[in-house]
Amino acid sequence: MDPRCIPEKFFDIKETEVLVTRITGGNVRNALQDIHVADALFDLDELAIIHHTDCGTLTWTEEIIRSKVKSFAGKEHWAEIDKTVYGAVADLDEGVRGDVKWVRAHPLITEKLKKGTQGFVFDIESGKVRKIDV
Amino acid sequence: MDPRCIPEKFFDIKETEVLVTRITGGNVRNALQDIHVADALFDLDELAIIHHTDCGTLTWTEEIIRSKVKSFAGKEHWAEIDKTVYGAVADLDEGVRGDVKWVRAHPLITEKLKKGTQGFVFDIESGKVRKIDV
């Protein structure tokens, strides 16, 4: 979601070559529906999960977001908010590893796509993308 | 998610000026967590919901995606898949209107952000963005 992170800019991507989903923290858990739609239509071979340095998710906690949402939500919604995982991350590399492992263990992702899933960190300072060993 | 639709390209956006979420069909219902995180951190004034012409969501149905996902999922997951809404859209302008109305009626979105929510269609052919009256 960070405006400094446009995948088409930091990879040499030609138009129509890839589908790009951009969400908070690059959290793949919130992209399952997008993956299903893309896989159903285009029979995906590869999935690149990319988080980035200086990411906001490293600076807040689940509780900070939940408190803020509760501040304008009726109390009848608080239980639902307490169950929501907004995607705070304590360690960047570990966050990417966790996402890749989540995909590889997921019962609703094809074996082919699991094999083609890789994790990366985009470094905002250098403009380089680093592959994360999982 | 469509690779032809990079908001930074079709709006004159300066870096760090906006947060951009890109998901299937621009379906705001699947972006609530992103909205909450962004609003908690940056106290949002405005939300622009942008769908685009020639969008894949106009060409498939929920049943097409569900059937495909079921083809590689164990039967124990079929009930969950049947409940998932992937975001098929029958009419582009109506899809945008539906998203804006969903935001304005949502109990977990601030009144300020509801007032600052607008809907648009990006025309891939002309490169123009058209505002949708709601």
Side-chain angles (χ1 to χ4, degrees):
Chain A
M1 190 161 61
D2 192 305
R4 297 168 298 177
C5 297
I6 304 173
E8 286 86 348
K9 267 192 177 177
F10 59 77
F11 281 119
D12 182 24
I13 294 174
K14 289 173 193 69
E15 202 162 292
T16 76
E17 202 171 35
V18 298
L19 301 171
V20 175
T21 294
R22 286 167 59 185
I23 53 176
T24 303
N27 183 351
V28 76
R29 292 162 180 81
N30 287 339
L32 185 61
Q33 280 169 296
D34 297 294
I35 292 169
H36 280 164
V37 169
D39 200 23
L41 300 177
F42 300 107
D43 194 20
L44 299 182
D45 293 306
E46 291 186 294
L47 174 64
I49 299 166
I50 310 166
H51 297 193
H52 65 86
T53 58
D54 198 31
C55 180
T57 58
L58 293 157
T59 65
W60 45 263
T61 63
E62 298 295 334
E63 211 38 63
I64 288 174
I65 308 297
R66 285 180 191 138
S67 298
K68 180 66 196 259
V69 178
K70 283 176 183 173
S71 74
F72 57 78
K75 281 202 175 172
E76 68 274 23
H77 298 288
W78 287 22
E80 178 190 340
I81 294 164
D82 281 330
K83 275 188 285 186
T84 303
V85 177
Y86 289 101
V89 171
D91 178 279
L92 200 55
D93 289 19
E94 276 307 309
V96 172
R97 274 187 204 103
D99 271 16
V100 172
K101 287 176 185 168
W102 182 88
V103 166
R104 290 184 182 162
H106 203 286
L108 298 182
I109 293 178
T110 65
E111 290 305 315
K112 180 171 77 166
L113 191 53
K114 284 177 184 176
K115 282 187 191 126
T117 295
Q118 299 181 80
F120 302 89
V121 167
F122 168 59
D123 187 319
I124 283 185
E125 287 290 320
S126 71
K128 304 275 188 192
V129 177
R130 176 168 58 86
K131 190 178 167 187
I132 301 297
D133 291 323
V134 180
Chain B
M1 190 160 63
D2 192 303
R4 297 168 298 178
C5 296
I6 304 173
E8 286 87 348
K9 267 191 177 177
F10 58 77
F11 280 119
D12 181 23
I13 293 175
K14 289 173 192 69
E15 203 162 289
T16 75
E17 202 172 35
V18 298
L19 301 170
V20 175
T21 295
R22 285 167 61 184
I23 54 178
T24 304
N27 183 351
V28 75
R29 292 162 180 80
N30 287 338
L32 186 61
Q33 280 169 298
D34 297 295
I35 291 169
H36 279 163
V37 169
D39 200 22
L41 301 177
F42 301 106
D43 194 20
L44 299 182
D45 294 307
E46 292 187 291
L47 174 63
I49 299 166
I50 310 166
H51 297 191
H52 65 86
T53 58
D54 199 32
C55 180
T57 58
L58 293 158
T59 65
W60 44 263
T61 63
E62 298 294 333
E63 211 37 63
I64 288 173
I65 308 297
R66 285 181 190 137
S67 298
K68 180 65 198 260
V69 178
K70 283 178 183 173
S71 73
F72 57 77
K75 281 201 175 172
E76 69 273 24
H77 298 287
W78 288 21
E80 179 190 339
I81 294 163
D82 281 331
K83 275 187 285 184
T84 304
V85 177
Y86 290 100
V89 170
D91 178 278
L92 201 53
D93 289 19
E94 276 306 311
V96 173
R97 273 187 205 104
D99 271 16
V100 172
K101 286 176 185 169
W102 183 86
V103 166
R104 291 184 182 161
H106 203 287
L108 299 183
I109 293 178
T110 65
E111 289 307 314
K112 181 171 77 166
L113 191 53
K114 284 176 184 177
K115 282 188 191 125
T117 295
Q118 298 181 80
F120 301 90
V121 167
F122 169 60
D123 187 319
I124 283 185
E125 288 291 318
S126 72
K128 304 275 187 193
V129 177
R130 176 169 58 85
K131 189 178 167 189
I132 301 297
D133 291 322
V134 180

